[in-house]
Amino acid sequence: MTMKRTLLAVFALGFVLVFGNLAIAETIDSLPSWNDGKSKQSIIEFVAKVTEKGSPDFVPLEERIAVFDNDGTLWAEQPMYFQLFFALDRVKELAPQHPEWEGKEPFASLLKGDVKSALAGGEKSILEIVMATHAGMTTTEFEQNVKDWIATAKHPTTKRPYTEMVYQPMLELLTYLRANDFKTFIVSGGGIEFMRPWAEEVYGIPPEQVVGSSIKTKFEMKNGEPVLVRQPELNFIDDKAGKPVGINQHIGRRPIAAFGNSDGDLEMLQWSTAGKGSRFALYVHHTDSIREWAYDRKSSIGRLDKGLDEAQANGWTIVDMKLDWKVIYPYEK
Amino acid sequence: MTMKRTLLAVFALGFVLVFGNLAIAETIDSLPSWNDGKSKQSIIEFVAKVTEKGSPDFVPLEERIAVFDNDGTLWAEQPMYFQLFFALDRVKELAPQHPEWEGKEPFASLLKGDVKSALAGGEKSILEIVMATHAGMTTTEFEQNVKDWIATAKHPTTKRPYTEMVYQPMLELLTYLRANDFKTFIVSGGGIEFMRPWAEEVYGIPPEQVVGSSIKTKFEMKNGEPVLVRQPELNFIDDKAGKPVGINQHIGRRPIAAFGNSDGDLEMLQWSTAGKGSRFALYVHHTDSIREWAYDRKSSIGRLDKGLDEAQANGWTIVDMKLDWKVIYPYEK
């Protein structure tokens, strides 16, 4: 190679290094598991207009906050919330230390394998199960309980680990938003300390960006070591009207994009879209009875009724799982 | 220039671009307002060992969490907490809407300018003043109240805006830690919504990294607009044993470095230093009666008594303001 050609090569390399990334971003599809259509287009158009310098809709980096519900939005929630499976498994594990449970509901039914009778008491029963399995230990011990369970437990019908039952198109969406300098948060009715131990690895969302329901904790010195002990007392329910409260408490600014799947997310979507400037709201509509589950207005889990009406009235994006998603789970790829 | 020299110049430029930053980082003092001595050295040594790849003390980027108290650690807190000046000023502003205050303590004394009598009722009086001035409006309205006040209010003795009464050496420390990929958080007994409106501009700490005390908020639709209304009910006191609770709730991981100035920060420092691996704790000791204030074991504000003993016993860094800091406030530079 002559000196002149070497020099040209050096400049060409520089050109590729500087402009290559832009070209790649434009030519490679960031949302490959999304079928082309209105849903995908609405996402791309929103991201383009809030990130384009000089655009009237441009949003500074620090204001690019996106919030995601978890159950039914980032991972599946049928035949019941996965955290409830965790609680039931914990009841079985803890039973030897609680002989009194044999004569006490909802534990007695649970231990006989009769989940339906156990949950017949509704919220009160669920609360008793949650407190028996989520309180009374240190935060470090509870974190380990969750890690042990999530590493081994399998979904009753798919027989897959729960962390494989996350939605591939939503994983791509999280990555796509972060590549466009969004800060992504989970805002879920699920337990904050139930999600944190695995959310970073599975979703790329660090513990400080997880908002959820919680019980109270208490600082104590235990054998000279400071610990936080989980108390059998509710602290915060991060659902429905609680979601904007949780967002304000943890994030302190209004999201510009919000993603949910049920009426429990409606106030979060209302709160996020009511801010000034360009806003985006999306509902995942569970329409695929073959590859996932189909449910909406009449479901006891993840009911989407009022939210569906609001979404239609407000022009929010409604993802039709069956039509919009090429694959549901990462293992289908 | 010959072709050969041009080529050399191109390579030399590349060398400067790649290695120049490293050289600058090593030769320029990141903490210019800190006098050379044990305190400054302890900070630099800690940061060096947790950021050096291959070091047995290396800490991955995502675990580099540093927490800072605010009152007395990042800004001054004498002759009383600045947020209390805000509350008193708000009482005066709101008085015309509350004719009943003329006959009601602690408001009556306050409006006569007798702060001492107003606060004689202790915590109960303070709570009444806080609720009267911090609750009953939307979060957006309160944010505006804080912004208006912080932009105009002046400290009673220095006559400076409160945001100028921040500690220059601590600002440098925040910047230095962030340059070393630390995520910096405020963890203060002060109101979370009182700090957020100015913490980003003054400290470079965004709202989602501010933890503080709070009252409850309630989601409501007001003329078709969703709002969060601040309720006259305590939600969380982020002080003493509450600080590790607040850290766990908001951050979800244990900090590796903690900075405070009073016994109210002791549990935060204990919690942070009790984790595995290399840890750092620092107390700012107010020893400068000329340039700032001198107080510790017997002060009613920012008392540092048990914390001072613990710091000495545990080998934590104790900053002697008078000896360790070249300047206190940015305007002295």
Side-chain angles (χ1 to χ4, degrees), chain A residues 232-263:
Chain A
E233 188 187 344
L234 280 177
N235 178 57
F236 181 63
I237 301 290
D238 190 50
D239 196 28
K240 301 190 177 75
K243 290 207 173 191
V245 172
I247 288 170
N248 185 61
Q249 182 73 7
H250 284 257
I251 309 178
R253 36 184 153 210
R254 204 187 289 240
I256 64 165
F259 304 82
N261 78 301
S262 80
D263 285 357

PDB file of all heavy atoms in Angstrom, chain A residues 232-263:
ATOM      1  N   PRO A 232     -44.639  -7.783  59.250  1.00  0.00           N
ATOM      2  CA  PRO A 232     -45.935  -8.218  58.701  1.00  0.00           C
ATOM      3  C   PRO A 232     -46.949  -7.069  58.667  1.00  0.00           C
ATOM      4  O   PRO A 232     -48.018  -7.136  59.250  1.00  0.00           O
ATOM      5  CB  PRO A 232     -46.373  -9.331  59.663  1.00  0.00           C
ATOM      6  CG  PRO A 232     -45.724  -8.974  60.950  1.00  0.00           C
ATOM      7  CD  PRO A 232     -44.433  -8.273  60.612  1.00  0.00           C
ATOM      8  N   GLU A 233     -46.577  -6.012  57.958  1.00  0.00           N
ATOM      9  CA  GLU A 233     -47.438  -4.827  57.886  1.00  0.00           C
ATOM     10  C   GLU A 233     -47.289  -4.201  56.506  1.00  0.00           C
ATOM     11  O   GLU A 233     -46.164  -3.938  56.046  1.00  0.00           O
ATOM     12  CB  GLU A 233     -47.002  -3.824  58.964  1.00  0.00           C
ATOM     13  CG  GLU A 233     -47.933  -2.644  59.108  1.00  0.00           C
ATOM     14  CD  GLU A 233     -47.382  -1.578  60.070  1.00  0.00           C
ATOM     15  OE1 GLU A 233     -46.450  -1.876  60.839  1.00  0.00           O
ATOM     16  OE2 GLU A 233     -47.884  -0.455  60.013  1.00  0.00           O
ATOM     17  N   LEU A 234     -48.401  -3.945  55.843  1.00  0.00           N
ATOM     18  CA  LEU A 234     -48.342  -3.341  54.511  1.00  0.00           C
ATOM     19  C   LEU A 234     -47.723  -1.950  54.593  1.00  0.00           C
ATOM     20  O   LEU A 234     -47.992  -1.190  55.522  1.00  0.00           O
ATOM     21  CB  LEU A 234     -49.752  -3.222  53.912  1.00  0.00           C
ATOM     22  CG  LEU A 234     -50.326  -4.494  53.290  1.00  0.00           C
ATOM     23  CD1 LEU A 234     -51.749  -4.224  52.806  1.00  0.00           C
ATOM     24  CD2 LEU A 234     -49.452  -4.971  52.121  1.00  0.00           C
ATOM     25  N   ASN A 235     -46.896  -1.632  53.614  1.00  0.00           N
ATOM     26  CA  ASN A 235     -46.336  -0.286  53.531  1.00  0.00           C
ATOM     27  C   ASN A 235     -46.986   0.500  52.401  1.00  0.00           C
ATOM     28  O   ASN A 235     -47.436   1.617  52.595  1.00  0.00           O
ATOM     29  CB  ASN A 235     -44.826  -0.365  53.310  1.00  0.00           C
ATOM     30  CG  ASN A 235     -44.188   0.995  53.169  1.00  0.00           C
ATOM     31  OD1 ASN A 235     -44.315   1.830  54.061  1.00  0.00           O
ATOM     32  ND2 ASN A 235     -43.529   1.239  52.049  1.00  0.00           N
ATOM     33  N   PHE A 236     -47.069  -0.136  51.224  1.00  0.00           N
ATOM     34  CA  PHE A 236     -47.575   0.587  50.064  1.00  0.00           C
ATOM     35  C   PHE A 236     -48.091  -0.385  49.010  1.00  0.00           C
ATOM     36  O   PHE A 236     -47.429  -1.377  48.708  1.00  0.00           O
ATOM     37  CB  PHE A 236     -46.449   1.453  49.475  1.00  0.00           C
ATOM     38  CG  PHE A 236     -46.860   2.260  48.286  1.00  0.00           C
ATOM     39  CD1 PHE A 236     -47.833   3.240  48.410  1.00  0.00           C
ATOM     40  CD2 PHE A 236     -46.299   2.025  47.032  1.00  0.00           C
ATOM     41  CE1 PHE A 236     -48.250   3.975  47.310  1.00  0.00           C
ATOM     42  CE2 PHE A 236     -46.692   2.763  45.927  1.00  0.00           C
ATOM     43  CZ  PHE A 236     -47.682   3.741  46.077  1.00  0.00           C
ATOM     44  N   ILE A 237     -49.270  -0.087  48.460  1.00  0.00           N
ATOM     45  CA  ILE A 237     -49.823  -0.889  47.357  1.00  0.00           C
ATOM     46  C   ILE A 237     -49.667  -0.085  46.071  1.00  0.00           C
ATOM     47  O   ILE A 237     -50.333   0.925  45.871  1.00  0.00           O
ATOM     48  CB  ILE A 237     -51.319  -1.220  47.595  1.00  0.00           C
ATOM     49  CG1 ILE A 237     -51.518  -1.990  48.901  1.00  0.00           C
ATOM     50  CG2 ILE A 237     -51.872  -2.018  46.406  1.00  0.00           C
ATOM     51  CD1 ILE A 237     -50.998  -3.409  48.888  1.00  0.00           C
ATOM     52  N   ASP A 238     -48.801  -0.573  45.231  1.00  0.00           N
ATOM     53  CA  ASP A 238     -48.465   0.150  44.001  1.00  0.00           C
ATOM     54  C   ASP A 238     -49.369  -0.300  42.857  1.00  0.00           C
ATOM     55  O   ASP A 238     -48.901  -0.876  41.865  1.00  0.00           O
ATOM     56  CB  ASP A 238     -46.985  -0.098  43.679  1.00  0.00           C
ATOM     57  CG  ASP A 238     -46.480   0.798  42.561  1.00  0.00           C
ATOM     58  OD1 ASP A 238     -46.699   2.007  42.655  1.00  0.00           O
ATOM     59  OD2 ASP A 238     -45.895   0.261  41.602  1.00  0.00           O
ATOM     60  N   ASP A 239     -50.656  -0.042  42.995  1.00  0.00           N
ATOM     61  CA  ASP A 239     -51.605  -0.476  41.969  1.00  0.00           C
ATOM     62  C   ASP A 239     -52.669   0.599  41.802  1.00  0.00           C
ATOM     63  O   ASP A 239     -52.948   1.361  42.724  1.00  0.00           O
ATOM     64  CB  ASP A 239     -52.250  -1.797  42.397  1.00  0.00           C
ATOM     65  CG  ASP A 239     -52.941  -2.503  41.231  1.00  0.00           C
ATOM     66  OD1 ASP A 239     -52.509  -2.317  40.075  1.00  0.00           O
ATOM     67  OD2 ASP A 239     -53.895  -3.256  41.488  1.00  0.00           O
ATOM     68  N   LYS A 240     -53.253   0.648  40.618  1.00  0.00           N
ATOM     69  CA  LYS A 240     -54.316   1.606  40.302  1.00  0.00           C
ATOM     70  C   LYS A 240     -53.895   3.044  40.661  1.00  0.00           C
ATOM     71  O   LYS A 240     -52.866   3.514  40.173  1.00  0.00           O
ATOM     72  CB  LYS A 240     -55.613   1.203  41.007  1.00  0.00           C
ATOM     73  CG  LYS A 240     -56.099  -0.197  40.610  1.00  0.00           C
ATOM     74  CD  LYS A 240     -57.509  -0.460  41.128  1.00  0.00           C
ATOM     75  CE  LYS A 240     -58.012  -1.830  40.667  1.00  0.00           C
ATOM     76  NZ  LYS A 240     -57.422  -2.964  41.389  1.00  0.00           N
ATOM     77  N   ALA A 241     -54.680   3.721  41.529  1.00  0.00           N
ATOM     78  CA  ALA A 241     -54.337   5.103  41.892  1.00  0.00           C
ATOM     79  C   ALA A 241     -53.022   5.177  42.663  1.00  0.00           C
ATOM     80  O   ALA A 241     -52.449   6.256  42.833  1.00  0.00           O
ATOM     81  CB  ALA A 241     -55.466   5.725  42.714  1.00  0.00           C
ATOM     82  N   GLY A 242     -52.537   4.026  43.142  1.00  0.00           N
ATOM     83  CA  GLY A 242     -51.238   3.995  43.826  1.00  0.00           C
ATOM     84  C   GLY A 242     -50.061   4.137  42.854  1.00  0.00           C
ATOM     85  O   GLY A 242     -48.974   4.536  43.259  1.00  0.00           O
ATOM     86  N   LYS A 243     -50.265   3.814  41.589  1.00  0.00           N
ATOM     87  CA  LYS A 243     -49.126   3.872  40.651  1.00  0.00           C
ATOM     88  C   LYS A 243     -48.584   5.288  40.439  1.00  0.00           C
ATOM     89  O   LYS A 243     -47.372   5.486  40.521  1.00  0.00           O
ATOM     90  CB  LYS A 243     -49.473   3.185  39.329  1.00  0.00           C
ATOM     91  CG  LYS A 243     -49.597   1.663  39.486  1.00  0.00           C
ATOM     92  CD  LYS A 243     -49.295   0.895  38.211  1.00  0.00           C
ATOM     93  CE  LYS A 243     -49.274  -0.601  38.516  1.00  0.00           C
ATOM     94  NZ  LYS A 243     -48.730  -1.406  37.407  1.00  0.00           N
ATOM     95  N   PRO A 244     -49.448   6.280  40.182  1.00  0.00           N
ATOM     96  CA  PRO A 244     -48.890   7.642  40.088  1.00  0.00           C
ATOM     97  C   PRO A 244     -48.234   8.076  41.404  1.00  0.00           C
ATOM     98  O   PRO A 244     -47.227   8.790  41.395  1.00  0.00           O
ATOM     99  CB  PRO A 244     -50.107   8.510  39.769  1.00  0.00           C
ATOM    100  CG  PRO A 244     -51.101   7.591  39.164  1.00  0.00           C
ATOM    101  CD  PRO A 244     -50.888   6.262  39.841  1.00  0.00           C
ATOM    102  N   VAL A 245     -48.793   7.629  42.521  1.00  0.00           N
ATOM    103  CA  VAL A 245     -48.193   7.960  43.825  1.00  0.00           C
ATOM    104  C   VAL A 245     -46.795   7.349  43.928  1.00  0.00           C
ATOM    105  O   VAL A 245     -45.833   8.011  44.320  1.00  0.00           O
ATOM    106  CB  VAL A 245     -49.100   7.462  44.980  1.00  0.00           C
ATOM    107  CG1 VAL A 245     -48.401   7.621  46.328  1.00  0.00           C
ATOM    108  CG2 VAL A 245     -50.437   8.209  44.980  1.00  0.00           C
ATOM    109  N   GLY A 246     -46.683   6.079  43.551  1.00  0.00           N
ATOM    110  CA  GLY A 246     -45.386   5.398  43.579  1.00  0.00           C
ATOM    111  C   GLY A 246     -44.389   6.038  42.619  1.00  0.00           C
ATOM    112  O   GLY A 246     -43.203   6.183  42.928  1.00  0.00           O
ATOM    113  N   ILE A 247     -44.869   6.430  41.449  1.00  0.00           N
ATOM    114  CA  ILE A 247     -44.006   7.098  40.460  1.00  0.00           C
ATOM    115  C   ILE A 247     -43.475   8.402  41.033  1.00  0.00           C
ATOM    116  O   ILE A 247     -42.291   8.704  40.947  1.00  0.00           O
ATOM    117  CB  ILE A 247     -44.789   7.362  39.149  1.00  0.00           C
ATOM    118  CG1 ILE A 247     -45.015   6.038  38.404  1.00  0.00           C
ATOM    119  CG2 ILE A 247     -44.063   8.376  38.268  1.00  0.00           C
ATOM    120  CD1 ILE A 247     -45.974   6.148  37.230  1.00  0.00           C
ATOM    121  N   ASN A 248     -44.380   9.172  41.638  1.00  0.00           N
ATOM    122  CA  ASN A 248     -43.954  10.450  42.195  1.00  0.00           C
ATOM    123  C   ASN A 248     -42.955  10.239  43.327  1.00  0.00           C
ATOM    124  O   ASN A 248     -41.937  10.928  43.426  1.00  0.00           O
ATOM    125  CB  ASN A 248     -45.168  11.223  42.705  1.00  0.00           C
ATOM    126  CG  ASN A 248     -44.799  12.605  43.186  1.00  0.00           C
ATOM    127  OD1 ASN A 248     -44.306  13.413  42.406  1.00  0.00           O
ATOM    128  ND2 ASN A 248     -44.990  12.860  44.476  1.00  0.00           N
ATOM    129  N   GLN A 249     -43.235   9.253  44.172  1.00  0.00           N
ATOM    130  CA  GLN A 249     -42.375   8.995  45.321  1.00  0.00           C
ATOM    131  C   GLN A 249     -40.969   8.556  44.882  1.00  0.00           C
ATOM    132  O   GLN A 249     -39.978   9.042  45.397  1.00  0.00           O
ATOM    133  CB  GLN A 249     -43.037   7.916  46.197  1.00  0.00           C
ATOM    134  CG  GLN A 249     -42.280   7.556  47.469  1.00  0.00           C
ATOM    135  CD  GLN A 249     -42.378   8.648  48.530  1.00  0.00           C
ATOM    136  OE1 GLN A 249     -43.096   9.615  48.394  1.00  0.00           O
ATOM    137  NE2 GLN A 249     -41.600   8.493  49.579  1.00  0.00           N
ATOM    138  N   HIS A 250     -40.908   7.648  43.923  1.00  0.00           N
ATOM    139  CA  HIS A 250     -39.612   7.061  43.554  1.00  0.00           C
ATOM    140  C   HIS A 250     -38.887   7.829  42.453  1.00  0.00           C
ATOM    141  O   HIS A 250     -37.666   7.899  42.451  1.00  0.00           O
ATOM    142  CB  HIS A 250     -39.786   5.617  43.096  1.00  0.00           C
ATOM    143  CG  HIS A 250     -40.017   4.656  44.209  1.00  0.00           C
ATOM    144  ND1 HIS A 250     -39.039   3.824  44.676  1.00  0.00           N
ATOM    145  CD2 HIS A 250     -41.096   4.422  44.973  1.00  0.00           C
ATOM    146  CE1 HIS A 250     -39.520   3.092  45.675  1.00  0.00           C
ATOM    147  NE2 HIS A 250     -40.774   3.439  45.871  1.00  0.00           N
ATOM    148  N   ILE A 251     -39.630   8.328  41.490  1.00  0.00           N
ATOM    149  CA  ILE A 251     -38.987   8.929  40.311  1.00  0.00           C
ATOM    150  C   ILE A 251     -38.975  10.445  40.425  1.00  0.00           C
ATOM    151  O   ILE A 251     -37.997  11.093  40.088  1.00  0.00           O
ATOM    152  CB  ILE A 251     -39.683   8.470  39.006  1.00  0.00           C
ATOM    153  CG1 ILE A 251     -39.805   6.932  38.985  1.00  0.00           C
ATOM    154  CG2 ILE A 251     -38.926   8.986  37.795  1.00  0.00           C
ATOM    155  CD1 ILE A 251     -40.526   6.367  37.766  1.00  0.00           C
ATOM    156  N   GLY A 252     -40.086  11.006  40.904  1.00  0.00           N
ATOM    157  CA  GLY A 252     -40.109  12.448  41.122  1.00  0.00           C
ATOM    158  C   GLY A 252     -40.229  13.269  39.854  1.00  0.00           C
ATOM    159  O   GLY A 252     -40.059  14.480  39.893  1.00  0.00           O
ATOM    160  N   ARG A 253     -40.436  12.615  38.741  1.00  0.00           N
ATOM    161  CA  ARG A 253     -40.849  13.356  37.542  1.00  0.00           C
ATOM    162  C   ARG A 253     -41.835  12.508  36.752  1.00  0.00           C
ATOM    163  O   ARG A 253     -41.881  11.295  36.902  1.00  0.00           O
ATOM    164  CB  ARG A 253     -39.689  13.812  36.672  1.00  0.00           C
ATOM    165  CG  ARG A 253     -38.508  12.939  36.538  1.00  0.00           C
ATOM    166  CD  ARG A 253     -37.472  13.682  35.685  1.00  0.00           C
ATOM    167  NE  ARG A 253     -36.112  13.277  35.958  1.00  0.00           N
ATOM    168  CZ  ARG A 253     -35.058  14.086  35.837  1.00  0.00           C
ATOM    169  NH1 ARG A 253     -35.211  15.328  35.475  1.00  0.00           N
ATOM    170  NH2 ARG A 253     -33.844  13.658  36.083  1.00  0.00           N
ATOM    171  N   ARG A 254     -42.591  13.187  35.907  1.00  0.00           N
ATOM    172  CA  ARG A 254     -43.648  12.494  35.192  1.00  0.00           C
ATOM    173  C   ARG A 254     -43.074  11.772  33.985  1.00  0.00           C
ATOM    174  O   ARG A 254     -42.363  12.384  33.183  1.00  0.00           O
ATOM    175  CB  ARG A 254     -44.694  13.518  34.747  1.00  0.00           C
ATOM    176  CG  ARG A 254     -46.053  12.935  34.529  1.00  0.00           C
ATOM    177  CD  ARG A 254     -46.958  13.971  33.930  1.00  0.00           C
ATOM    178  NE  ARG A 254     -47.320  15.027  34.865  1.00  0.00           N
ATOM    179  CZ  ARG A 254     -48.570  15.298  35.229  1.00  0.00           C
ATOM    180  NH1 ARG A 254     -49.556  14.585  34.752  1.00  0.00           N
ATOM    181  NH2 ARG A 254     -48.822  16.290  36.043  1.00  0.00           N
ATOM    182  N   PRO A 255     -43.362  10.480  33.850  1.00  0.00           N
ATOM    183  CA  PRO A 255     -42.870   9.738  32.680  1.00  0.00           C
ATOM    184  C   PRO A 255     -43.436  10.333  31.393  1.00  0.00           C
ATOM    185  O   PRO A 255     -44.527  10.904  31.400  1.00  0.00           O
ATOM    186  CB  PRO A 255     -43.421   8.323  32.897  1.00  0.00           C
ATOM    187  CG  PRO A 255     -43.799   8.247  34.341  1.00  0.00           C
ATOM    188  CD  PRO A 255     -44.169   9.645  34.743  1.00  0.00           C
ATOM    189  N   ILE A 256     -42.713  10.163  30.286  1.00  0.00           N
ATOM    190  CA  ILE A 256     -43.262  10.585  28.987  1.00  0.00           C
ATOM    191  C   ILE A 256     -43.826   9.390  28.224  1.00  0.00           C
ATOM    192  O   ILE A 256     -44.473   9.561  27.203  1.00  0.00           O
ATOM    193  CB  ILE A 256     -42.236  11.338  28.122  1.00  0.00           C
ATOM    194  CG1 ILE A 256     -41.059  10.435  27.725  1.00  0.00           C
ATOM    195  CG2 ILE A 256     -41.732  12.597  28.843  1.00  0.00           C
ATOM    196  CD1 ILE A 256     -40.235  11.032  26.590  1.00  0.00           C
ATOM    197  N   ALA A 257     -43.581   8.185  28.741  1.00  0.00           N
ATOM    198  CA  ALA A 257     -44.120   6.988  28.084  1.00  0.00           C
ATOM    199  C   ALA A 257     -44.481   5.962  29.148  1.00  0.00           C
ATOM    200  O   ALA A 257     -43.732   5.773  30.109  1.00  0.00           O
ATOM    201  CB  ALA A 257     -43.096   6.404  27.110  1.00  0.00           C
ATOM    202  N   ALA A 258     -45.656   5.324  28.975  1.00  0.00           N
ATOM    203  CA  ALA A 258     -46.112   4.352  29.961  1.00  0.00           C
ATOM    204  C   ALA A 258     -46.717   3.142  29.262  1.00  0.00           C
ATOM    205  O   ALA A 258     -47.427   3.285  28.265  1.00  0.00           O
ATOM    206  CB  ALA A 258     -47.144   4.997  30.896  1.00  0.00           C
ATOM    207  N   PHE A 259     -46.420   1.966  29.814  1.00  0.00           N
ATOM    208  CA  PHE A 259     -46.790   0.699  29.189  1.00  0.00           C
ATOM    209  C   PHE A 259     -47.469  -0.207  30.205  1.00  0.00           C
ATOM    210  O   PHE A 259     -46.898  -0.478  31.263  1.00  0.00           O
ATOM    211  CB  PHE A 259     -45.529   0.017  28.644  1.00  0.00           C
ATOM    212  CG  PHE A 259     -44.755   0.873  27.678  1.00  0.00           C
ATOM    213  CD1 PHE A 259     -43.863   1.848  28.141  1.00  0.00           C
ATOM    214  CD2 PHE A 259     -44.948   0.744  26.312  1.00  0.00           C
ATOM    215  CE1 PHE A 259     -43.162   2.663  27.250  1.00  0.00           C
ATOM    216  CE2 PHE A 259     -44.257   1.544  25.410  1.00  0.00           C
ATOM    217  CZ  PHE A 259     -43.365   2.516  25.883  1.00  0.00           C
ATOM    218  N   GLY A 260     -48.685  -0.666  29.889  1.00  0.00           N
ATOM    219  CA  GLY A 260     -49.397  -1.532  30.820  1.00  0.00           C
ATOM    220  C   GLY A 260     -50.244  -2.544  30.085  1.00  0.00           C
ATOM    221  O   GLY A 260     -50.167  -2.672  28.857  1.00  0.00           O
ATOM    222  N   ASN A 261     -51.053  -3.276  30.826  1.00  0.00           N
ATOM    223  CA  ASN A 261     -51.931  -4.243  30.180  1.00  0.00           C
ATOM    224  C   ASN A 261     -53.296  -4.372  30.852  1.00  0.00           C
ATOM    225  O   ASN A 261     -54.109  -5.159  30.413  1.00  0.00           O
ATOM    226  CB  ASN A 261     -51.283  -5.633  30.149  1.00  0.00           C
ATOM    227  CG  ASN A 261     -51.391  -6.331  31.497  1.00  0.00           C
ATOM    228  OD1 ASN A 261     -50.892  -5.803  32.492  1.00  0.00           O
ATOM    229  ND2 ASN A 261     -52.050  -7.473  31.557  1.00  0.00           N
ATOM    230  N   SER A 262     -53.532  -3.624  31.944  1.00  0.00           N
ATOM    231  CA  SER A 262     -54.787  -3.852  32.667  1.00  0.00           C
ATOM    232  C   SER A 262     -55.348  -2.556  33.236  1.00  0.00           C
ATOM    233  O   SER A 262     -54.691  -1.508  33.207  1.00  0.00           O
ATOM    234  CB  SER A 262     -54.557  -4.852  33.805  1.00  0.00           C
ATOM    235  OG  SER A 262     -53.962  -4.193  34.914  1.00  0.00           O
ATOM    236  N   ASP A 263     -56.542  -2.666  33.790  1.00  0.00           N
ATOM    237  CA  ASP A 263     -57.154  -1.502  34.445  1.00  0.00           C
ATOM    238  C   ASP A 263     -56.299  -1.012  35.608  1.00  0.00           C
ATOM    239  O   ASP A 263     -56.385   0.156  35.985  1.00  0.00           O
ATOM    240  CB  ASP A 263     -58.562  -1.856  34.942  1.00  0.00           C
ATOM    241  CG  ASP A 263     -59.574  -1.926  33.790  1.00  0.00           C
ATOM    242  OD1 ASP A 263     -59.180  -1.637  32.636  1.00  0.00           O
ATOM    243  OD2 ASP A 263     -60.731  -2.274  34.046  1.00  0.00           O
TER     244      ASP A 263
END
